[in-house]
Amino acid sequence: MVERFLKQTSFSSVQDFKDNLEFIVPENFNFAYDVMDAWAAEQPDKLALLWTNDKGAEVRLTFADLKRLSDQAASYLQSLGIGHGDMVMLILKRRLEWWISMLALHKLGAVVIPATHMLTKHDIVYRNTRASVKGIICVDDDYVVSQIEAAMPESPTVEVLIKVGESVSDKQQSSPVKWHHWNEEIDQAPAFVKPDHVNINEDTLLMYFTSGTSGEPKMVAHDHLYALGHLTTGVFWHNLHEDSIHLTVADTGWGKAVWGKFYGQWFAGAVVFVFDHEKFNADTMLRQMEKYHVTSFCAPPTIYRFMIREDLSKYDLSALRYCCTAGEALNPAVYDKFKEATGISLMEGFGQTETTMTLGTMPWMKPKPGSMGMPNPQYDIDLIKGDGTSCEDGEKGEIVIKVPADKKPIGLFKGYYRDPELTREAWHDGLYHTGDMAWRDEDGYYWFEGRIDDVIKSSGYRIGPFEVESALMTHPAVVECAITGVPDDIRGMVVKATVVLGKEWKDKAGDDLIKELQQHVKHETAPYKYPRIIEFVDELPKTISGKIRRVEIRKKDAR
């Protein structure tokens, strides 16, 4: 499959990848037809999706199964008036219907808006009105349904509501809005007829509302080539092939799901493994990986932090060959402990909701613990200082993507939907500004520093929160931490650490442990970076996608 979309399909070095990565871009590319249905035609019986849940259920779907089910779903949605360009929000947790709905909506040329089940009425109204949502497909969950129903009086564009769940024919119908029921109605759909016009490459494929670490979420619009851009994510960064069984830990409501559970994995012909669970438990996850012989795994560093607190020697992970991490910066201490326990290196990557993987550690690279890796050559990456000039090695600057006037990189977003001013703020003068700070070492590896707004200026020093967090994370007491700046009359700002302790350390929280942690940071990194203030908390404030909201900590401290 890969040879249809790349002029060279394997690489042996950083230079080879940089010099020879070149996409073959089809006209009117559509992932559902050009990749998934192509697999169904060529290898209909090949396993594509292996779904399990925490109640012991198991479903295996081949590529032929996915074609049949997505055709049926596309026909069903067509019968309800969904078509080209219509905005459809999916709130389906990890149900099988998410994968089927995604493919079905792609086949219709509709626009998919994946969303988390944790949205409130306010969140749903905001999304419905800002994006003119026409349809919502949701899991038949009391909380989710109640929030959607509460949002309907303020959501005039919504015409179609579909619940996915068990049969409801025997339930009393007292809902104030009209619901369609996927499980009862989909079998009545007629045979699917492909629309005469589905899409051109520039049409919007899907749209994400960013998690909003500050302010209201932005609407990130991606075209159909975004899916093609993820070929490098699955085939090269995840190092997948037709015999791989890949598990990415991510809720379907945020962008990491299509990074690790959809596009790139199926370009490679790998099996997408799904574990549908209500609450993450490291032991349960490891047992699933052991039982189903997962060969490839990707998760944010938080998941690895919990995994290394288990006795990994009691699990049979002999099938596991390759592990990646993204979503937040990786602390070297986590890398070292996981490598010691499993013999597997964690291959870090970096990207945003607005991009595919932009920096990564590829199979032909030696990983440097804590480094994001090197630029993915489908993007022209630079680091720039405040005056707009390029950084030298060792200098901290903002990660930017060079965007020629005549050719947008494959995988870069179209812009912020219905917000040209916000788009211009981030994307101007031939550069897309990521807002993320990093520095580059003499070997060309990039090292994350933090968001521009998170950088702390103290006594003339610029201190990136991640370098202090990395130092703190090497102490056995620390499970999670967030570094912020607190205003100070003398130094301008001082470093503050908000720390979540391991359960065996919580009764030791106090001045002695604060001093111990401060001395530990002084030993692990430059002494001027140590946190002069340390606060112990039970949990850190996070967005609905799990990112730490440092802005909330700063606001709390300001009050």
Side-chain angles (χ1 to χ4, degrees):
M1 189 64 64
V2 176
E3 63 273 7
R4 298 180 184 180
F5 304 103
L6 289 182
K7 291 193 174 179
Q8 181 173 317
T9 60
S10 62
F11 304 92
S12 59
S13 67
V14 171
Q15 196 62 46
D16 186 20
F17 194 43
K18 180 179 179 180
D19 292 342
N20 296 306
L21 178 69
E22 185 176 352
F23 286 89
I24 301 169
V25 182
E27 186 177 357
N28 304 333
F29 173 73
N30 183 291
F31 178 81
Y33 294 115
D34 296 335
V35 178
M36 297 303 289
D37 283 5
W39 276 118
E42 294 171 17
Q43 297 193 46
D45 298 327
K46 187 182 187 313
L47 186 63
L49 183 66
L50 173 51
W51 180 93
T52 66
N53 70 9
D54 51 9
K55 298 176 179 63
E58 177 186 305
V59 178
R60 295 171 181 262
L61 296 178
T62 65
F63 282 107
D65 292 331
L66 285 174
K67 172 175 168 50
R68 173 178 54 82
L69 292 169
S70 61
D71 281 351
Q72 183 183 46
S75 177
Y76 173 52
L77 296 174
Q78 264 184 331
S79 73
L80 298 178
I82 301 297
H84 178 269
D86 288 335
M87 303 279 183
V88 180
M89 185 155 57
L90 302 183
I91 310 176
L92 289 169
K93 298 186 178 180
R94 294 179 179 87
R95 286 193 64 103
L96 269 175
E97 288 83 2
W98 183 82
W99 284 264
I100 296 165
S101 296
M102 286 281 290
L103 293 172
L105 291 167
H106 287 1
K107 288 183 172 183
L108 296 176
V111 180
V112 185
I113 304 176
T116 173
H117 61 281
M118 293 181 280
L119 297 181
T120 64
K121 171 203 165 184
H122 167 81
D123 299 324
I124 295 168
V125 169
Y126 178 79
R127 284 157 174 74
N128 288 344
T129 54
R130 291 283 287 127
S132 298
V133 169
K134 183 175 181 178
I136 301 175
I137 307 174
C138 77
V139 62
D140 192 359
D141 171 272
D142 289 344
Y143 174 80
V144 172
V145 169
S146 68
Q147 298 307 304
I148 292 172
E149 290 184 348
M152 285 306 99
E154 301 170 55
S155 304
T157 65
V158 177
E159 299 177 15
V160 180
L161 295 174
I162 305 172
K163 289 182 188 178
V164 174
E166 302 307 317
S167 175
V168 294
S169 57
D170 58 345
K171 292 183 181 179
Q172 184 178 358
Q173 298 299 301
S174 58
S175 171
V177 300
K178 175 178 171 54
W179 284 97
H180 292 277
H181 300 282
W182 177 291
N183 296 62
E184 289 194 336
E185 300 169 358
I186 194 166
D187 288 340
Q188 302 165 21
F192 176 58
V193 178
K194 180 181 176 181
D196 292 334
H197 170 70
V198 181
N199 65 276
I200 60 175
N201 288 341
E202 293 75 25
D203 284 344
T204 303
L205 169 73
L206 82 168
M207 195 151 63
Y208 278 105
F209 283 74
T210 60
S211 52
T213 53
S214 61
E216 290 282 17
K218 299 172 284 191
M219 295 186 291
V220 179
H222 282 290
D223 60 27
H224 278 261
L225 295 184
Y226 171 75
L228 181 59
H230 272 304
L231 185 154
T232 53
T233 308
V235 175
F236 301 119
W237 179 47
H238 284 162
N239 196 25
L240 298 174
H241 48 78
E242 291 187 32
D243 296 326
S244 300
I245 301 175
H246 180 78
L247 168 60
T248 280
V249 179
D251 184 270
T252 59
W254 57 78
K256 192 62 169 60
V258 296
W259 279 55
K261 303 165 98 75
F262 204 76
Y263 296 124
Q265 295 64 45
W266 281 334
F267 270 111
V271 177
V272 171
F273 179 79
V274 181
F275 178 44
D276 185 5
H277 57 281
E278 286 298 319
K279 188 174 182 180
F280 172 77
N281 176 278
D283 174 70
T284 305
M285 181 70 71
L286 288 161
R287 292 297 178 197
Q288 290 293 106
M289 294 168 66
E290 176 183 62
K291 178 180 178 180
Y292 289 98
H293 309 292
V294 168
T295 67
S296 173
F297 182 68
C298 184
T302 299
I303 299 297
Y304 288 105
R305 284 200 291 270
F306 283 107
M307 291 174 83
I308 61 178
R309 286 177 173 263
E310 301 291 326
D311 177 7
L312 292 177
S313 66
K314 69 181 183 180
Y315 306 96
D316 179 5
L317 300 178
S318 56
L320 192 62
R321 294 285 182 270
Y322 211 78
C323 292
C324 299
T325 186
E328 58 188 82
L330 173 69
N331 299 101
V334 177
Y335 175 100
D336 292 338
K337 289 178 182 177
F338 189 81
K339 177 71 179 286
E340 180 183 352
T342 66
I344 297 174
S345 300
L346 296 179
M347 310 298 271
E348 192 170 356
F350 167 84
Q352 296 183 312
T353 307
E354 291 85 348
T355 70
T356 59
M357 184 198 60
T358 50
L359 294 154
T361 309
M362 299 299 180
W364 46 83
M365 294 169 54
K366 181 180 179 180
K368 292 189 177 185
S371 166
M372 299 180 286
M374 295 185 186
N376 173 359
Q378 74 191 62
Y379 297 100
D380 188 357
I381 303 288
D382 196 12
L383 287 177
I384 62 170
K385 294 178 281 192
D387 61 5
T389 59
S390 294
C391 294
E392 300 292 334
D393 291 347
E395 291 185 316
K396 298 174 184 177
E398 182 187 12
I399 303 169
V400 297
I401 297 173
K402 298 179 182 178
V403 186
D406 60 339
K407 189 177 182 182
K408 179 178 73 67
I410 291 173
L412 183 63
F413 75 135
K414 296 172 63 174
Y416 297 113
Y417 187 62
R418 293 179 173 173
D419 203 331
E421 182 178 343
L422 191 61
T423 302
R424 282 192 296 270
E425 286 178 13
W427 188 345
H428 56 84
D429 301 315
L431 296 175
Y432 165 62
H433 293 257
T434 67
D436 285 306
M437 300 287 289
W439 61 277
R440 183 182 58 245
D441 67 21
E442 66 277 5
D443 297 321
Y445 287 71
Y446 283 63
W447 301 78
F448 185 73
E449 283 290 317
R451 295 290 294 171
I452 287 177
D453 292 343
D454 292 336
V455 172
I456 302 161
K457 299 175 183 177
S458 179
S459 299
Y461 294 106
R462 290 172 61 86
I463 302 169
F466 177 63
E467 54 193 334
V468 187
E469 290 170 2
S470 294
L472 267 174
M473 285 298 300
T474 61
H475 193 284
V478 180
V479 174
E480 282 190 302
C481 62
I483 297 298
T484 53
V486 176
D488 181 82
D489 291 339
I490 298 173
R491 295 177 175 83
M493 301 281 285
V494 294
V495 176
K496 177 194 174 186
T498 306
V499 175
V500 177
L501 295 172
K503 58 180 181 290
E504 67 275 19
W505 287 82
K506 288 189 176 181
D507 61 349
K508 300 178 183 178
D511 290 345
D512 289 344
L513 183 55
I514 287 174
K515 291 175 183 176
E516 181 178 333
L517 292 175
Q518 288 171 331
Q519 289 300 317
H520 181 78
V521 172
K522 288 179 182 179
H523 180 266
E524 293 291 318
T525 187
Y528 69 85
K529 299 175 186 176
Y530 86 93
R532 294 175 183 271
I533 301 170
I534 294 180
E535 178 185 7
F536 298 118
V537 297
D538 290 331
E539 61 182 3
L540 298 174
K542 294 180 180 179
T543 68
I544 53 178
S545 66
K547 295 179 181 177
I548 296 171
R549 280 182 55 86
R550 292 180 182 83
V551 65
E552 190 170 315
I553 297 173
R554 290 195 294 265
K555 286 180 179 178
K556 173 178 169 289
D557 291 340
R559 289 194 298 267

